[in-house]
Amino acid sequence: MKPALRVTRPAYVLALVLAASAAVIGWMHTKSARPFLAAVGIHCPVDDVKLSDAVAIRKKGIASLAGNVPAPSAAAIGGMQLQVSTQGDVRRWAALNRASCETVNHGFTSLRCRGVMAASLGIEGPPISELWFSFGATEKLIGVDIYRRGLDSRGEQSAWSGAVDRLKTRLGVPTSSFGDASPGNLAAAGYTTARVQYRYSDYIATVTAVNLPYAGFAVREQYISAGS
C-alpha cells in the first residue's frame, strides 16, 4: 500500500507558482496536479474554475516570487508588452504569422499555439513546441510561456543562449541562477536542470533547461507580469 501523499509547504508553493505561469492550464489537467490543486482548494475537473479563484491563486504564487524593485524593462517577446498588449493584439500577430492557436479558458483566458517558428517572435533557435499567451481579468497580456522540447545539443544551446543573452542585455545580472546548461552536463542524468531567473516587483522572467528522458533536451522561457 502506497503511503498517503503529504502536501508540504514547498509543494504548496510549487502549486501556486505553477498557477501563476502561462502554461498552468495544461498542467492542471494532469494527474500529478490533482493533490496540489486540492491543497489550494481546486478539485477536478478544472473546467469550472472561477476567474476570482484563478486571480487569488495567481496573487499568492506571485507573492512567493516577486522582488522588491520594479523592472527596468518588462517587454515579453516579439514586441508584445505585458499589461499593455491585448487579446486582439496577440490574435492579429497569430493571424499575420499563420500560427495555429486555440483558445483555452479555465478562469484566465489563454491562447495555446503550436509549431510556431522562432523567427515569428523575433528570437533565435529551433521551432517552438508550445507557446502560451495568458490574459488577466482586464484581458491584458499577463504571461508568455515558450516551450521547446525534443531538442538536440545544438538546438538546446541556441534556445538557452538566445533567451539568457536577451535577458542579460536588457536586465543585467539575474536574481538567481543554478546549474550548467551545457548539453554535456544536462546529458549526464535524466532531469538534470539549469535555471536563470529575474525577480522584480512587477515582472518575473525565468529560463529553464532540462534533460527529459522521454523527450530529450527542453528549454522553457517564462515571462510573467506580477501585476493583477
Side-chain angles (χ1 to χ4, degrees), residues 74-82 85 89-90 92-94 96-97 116-124 128 131 133 141 144 146 166 170 221 223:
I77 205 77
M80 283 170 270
Q81 189 79 15
L82 297 174
S85 298
D89 295 329
V90 176
R92 282 189 287 274
W93 167 87
L96 180 64
N97 290 280
V116 176
M117 299 304 294
S120 68
L121 289 171
I123 62 177
E124 310 81 3
I128 296 161
L131 172 63
F133 297 97
L141 185 66
V144 178
I146 301 169
R166 283 194 310 274
R170 200 170 81 229
E221 302 173 48
Y223 306 95

Side-chain angles (χ1 to χ4, degrees), residues 23-24 28 30 102-103 132 157 175 197 205:
V24 64
M28 287 170 76
T30 65
E102 62 178 316
T103 302
W132 287 77
Q157 275 295 278
T175 305
Q197 188 168 69

Side-chain angles (χ1 to χ4, degrees), residues 12-212:
Y12 177 82
V13 172
L14 173 62
L16 297 178
V17 171
L18 286 169
S21 77
V24 64
I25 303 305
W27 173 79
M28 287 170 76
H29 282 287
T30 65
K31 289 183 180 179
S32 64
R34 292 173 187 172
F36 300 114
L37 293 173
V40 293
I42 294 178
H43 303 278
C44 288
V46 297
D47 296 336
D48 59 352
V49 176
K50 297 178 181 178
L51 176 60
S52 57
D53 291 336
V55 169
I57 292 172
R58 182 178 188 275
K59 284 183 178 179
K60 290 180 181 179
I62 291 296
S64 71
L65 288 176
N68 299 316
V69 297
S73 171
I77 205 77
M80 283 170 270
Q81 189 79 15
L82 297 174
Q83 293 292 357
V84 175
S85 298
T86 64
Q87 284 195 54
D89 295 329
V90 176
R91 290 182 186 279
R92 282 189 287 274
W93 167 87
L96 180 64
N97 290 280
R98 299 181 180 179
S100 176
C101 304
E102 62 178 316
T103 302
V104 180
N105 196 327
H106 298 288
F108 292 120
T109 297
S110 299
L111 280 184
R112 177 174 60 189
C113 308
R114 292 176 175 171
V116 176
M117 299 304 294
S120 68
L121 289 171
I123 62 177
E124 310 81 3
I128 296 161
S129 305
E130 281 201 33
L131 172 63
W132 287 77
F133 297 97
S134 293
F135 305 92
T138 62
E139 298 193 356
K140 297 293 179 64
L141 185 66
I142 59 170
V144 178
D145 198 306
I146 301 169
Y147 181 52
R148 293 185 262 202
R149 62 179 178 271
L151 303 176
D152 59 15
S153 296
R154 184 175 180 179
E156 184 273 332
Q157 275 295 278
S158 177
W160 169 267
S161 298
V164 171
D165 290 348
R166 283 194 310 274
L167 286 169
K168 287 184 176 179
T169 297
R170 200 170 81 229
L171 301 173
V173 179
T175 305
S176 63
S177 63
F178 71 82
D180 175 359
S182 66
N185 180 69
L186 294 178
Y191 302 107
T192 301
T193 302
R195 178 170 296 138
V196 166
Q197 188 168 69
Y198 291 80
R199 301 182 182 184
Y200 295 98
S201 59
D202 55 353
Y203 176 65
I204 300 163
T206 308
V207 183
T208 305
V210 60
N211 174 18
L212 298 173

